[in-house]
Amino acid sequence: EKLDAHGLRSAPHCYGNAYGIYASGHLSAAVRNFEFVEYDDITIEGMDVSGYRIESGEIHIPATPGFGIVFDDELVTNLIKRSGWSLNSR
Protein backbone atom coordinates (compact mmCIF):
# COMPACT_ATOMS: atom_id res chain seq x y z
CA GLU A 1 0.00 0.00 0.00
CA LYS A 2 2.75 2.44 0.97
CA LEU A 3 4.82 1.60 -2.11
CA ASP A 4 1.81 2.01 -4.38
CA ALA A 5 0.95 5.35 -2.76
CA HIS A 6 4.35 6.66 -3.88
CA GLY A 7 4.12 5.08 -7.33
CA LEU A 8 7.01 2.74 -6.55
CA ARG A 9 7.43 -0.65 -8.18
CA SER A 10 8.02 -3.73 -6.04
CA ALA A 11 9.28 -7.28 -6.35
CA PRO A 12 9.36 -9.12 -3.00
CA HIS A 13 12.61 -10.94 -2.33
CA CYS A 14 12.13 -14.63 -1.66
CA TYR A 15 14.72 -16.35 -3.86
CA GLY A 16 15.59 -19.75 -2.41
CA ASN A 17 12.53 -19.83 -0.15
CA ALA A 18 10.31 -22.57 -1.58
CA TYR A 19 7.07 -21.42 0.00
CA GLY A 20 7.74 -17.73 -0.59
CA ILE A 21 8.28 -18.23 -4.31
CA TYR A 22 4.71 -19.39 -4.71
CA ALA A 23 3.04 -17.18 -2.11
CA SER A 24 4.60 -13.96 -3.47
CA GLY A 25 2.92 -14.43 -6.84
CA HIS A 26 -0.43 -14.00 -5.14
CA LEU A 27 0.63 -10.52 -4.00
CA SER A 28 0.40 -9.30 -7.57
CA ALA A 29 -3.38 -9.13 -7.18
CA ALA A 30 -3.06 -6.69 -4.28
CA VAL A 31 -0.01 -4.62 -5.28
CA ARG A 32 -0.65 -2.25 -8.18
CA ASN A 33 3.00 -1.82 -9.20
CA PHE A 34 4.08 -5.42 -8.65
CA GLU A 35 6.92 -6.12 -11.08
CA PHE A 36 7.86 -9.79 -10.91
CA VAL A 37 8.18 -12.96 -8.86
CA GLU A 38 11.66 -14.13 -7.96
CA TYR A 39 11.45 -17.72 -9.12
CA ASP A 40 13.78 -20.60 -8.27
CA ASP A 41 12.86 -23.91 -9.89
CA ILE A 42 13.30 -26.19 -6.88
CA THR A 43 11.63 -29.39 -5.79
CA ILE A 44 10.64 -30.10 -2.21
CA GLU A 45 9.71 -33.66 -1.33
CA GLY A 46 6.04 -33.83 -0.34
CA MET A 47 5.17 -30.37 -1.73
CA ASP A 48 3.10 -30.44 -4.94
CA VAL A 49 3.14 -27.17 -6.88
CA SER A 50 2.09 -28.66 -10.21
CA GLY A 51 -0.69 -26.04 -10.48
CA TYR A 52 1.97 -23.40 -11.19
CA ARG A 53 3.60 -23.05 -14.56
CA ILE A 54 5.97 -20.71 -16.34
CA GLU A 55 4.93 -19.84 -19.88
CA SER A 56 6.38 -17.13 -22.13
CA GLY A 57 8.17 -15.57 -19.16
CA GLU A 58 5.02 -15.35 -17.04
CA ILE A 59 4.09 -17.34 -13.97
CA HIS A 60 0.57 -18.75 -14.02
CA ILE A 61 -0.88 -19.13 -10.55
CA PRO A 62 -3.60 -21.63 -9.64
CA ALA A 63 -6.84 -20.37 -8.13
CA THR A 64 -7.03 -23.13 -5.55
CA PRO A 65 -6.95 -22.80 -1.73
CA GLY A 66 -3.68 -22.78 0.22
CA PHE A 67 -1.79 -20.82 -2.45
CA GLY A 68 -2.35 -23.80 -4.77
CA ILE A 69 0.21 -25.87 -2.84
CA VAL A 70 -0.71 -29.41 -1.84
CA PHE A 71 1.27 -31.24 0.81
CA ASP A 72 1.53 -35.00 1.08
CA ASP A 73 0.54 -35.14 4.74
CA GLU A 74 1.70 -38.72 5.30
CA LEU A 75 5.10 -38.12 3.73
CA VAL A 76 5.65 -34.84 5.58
CA THR A 77 4.57 -36.42 8.89
CA ASN A 78 7.07 -39.25 8.35
CA LEU A 79 9.84 -36.79 7.46
CA ILE A 80 9.12 -34.87 10.67
CA LYS A 81 9.22 -38.07 12.73
CA ARG A 82 12.49 -39.10 11.09
CA SER A 83 14.29 -35.77 11.37
CA GLY A 84 12.72 -34.35 14.52
CA TRP A 85 11.75 -31.12 12.77
CA SER A 86 8.63 -29.33 13.97
CA LEU A 87 7.06 -25.90 13.63
CA ASN A 88 8.40 -25.12 17.10
CA SER A 89 12.03 -25.95 16.24
CA ARG A 90 14.52 -23.10 16.47
Side-chain angles (χ1 to χ4, degrees), residues 21-31 34 37 52 61-64 66-68:
I21 290 168
Y22 302 104
S24 70
H26 292 269
L27 291 175
S28 66
V31 179
F34 189 93
V37 171
Y52 290 81
I61 299 171
T64 51
F67 294 117

Side-chain angles (χ1 to χ4, degrees), residues 43-49 69-73 75-76 79:
T43 302
I44 304 293
E45 189 176 2
M47 187 171 142
D48 178 5
V49 293
I69 300 171
V70 179
F71 290 95
D72 179 331
D73 291 334
L75 175 62
V76 172
L79 290 171

Side-chain angles (χ1 to χ4, degrees), residues 6-72:
H6 294 285
L8 298 172
R9 298 178 302 195
S10 61
H13 174 66
C14 64
Y15 194 75
N17 177 324
Y19 191 77
I21 290 168
Y22 302 104
S24 70
H26 292 269
L27 291 175
S28 66
V31 179
R32 184 179 17 182
N33 293 315
F34 189 93
E35 287 290 308
F36 60 87
V37 171
E38 271 188 319
Y39 184 81
D40 184 10
D41 191 18
I42 59 176
T43 302
I44 304 293
E45 189 176 2
M47 187 171 142
D48 178 5
V49 293
S50 60
Y52 290 81
R53 70 183 194 288
I54 304 290
E55 194 174 275
S56 300
E58 294 182 344
I59 186 167
H60 295 266
I61 299 171
T64 51
F67 294 117
I69 300 171
V70 179
F71 290 95
D72 179 331

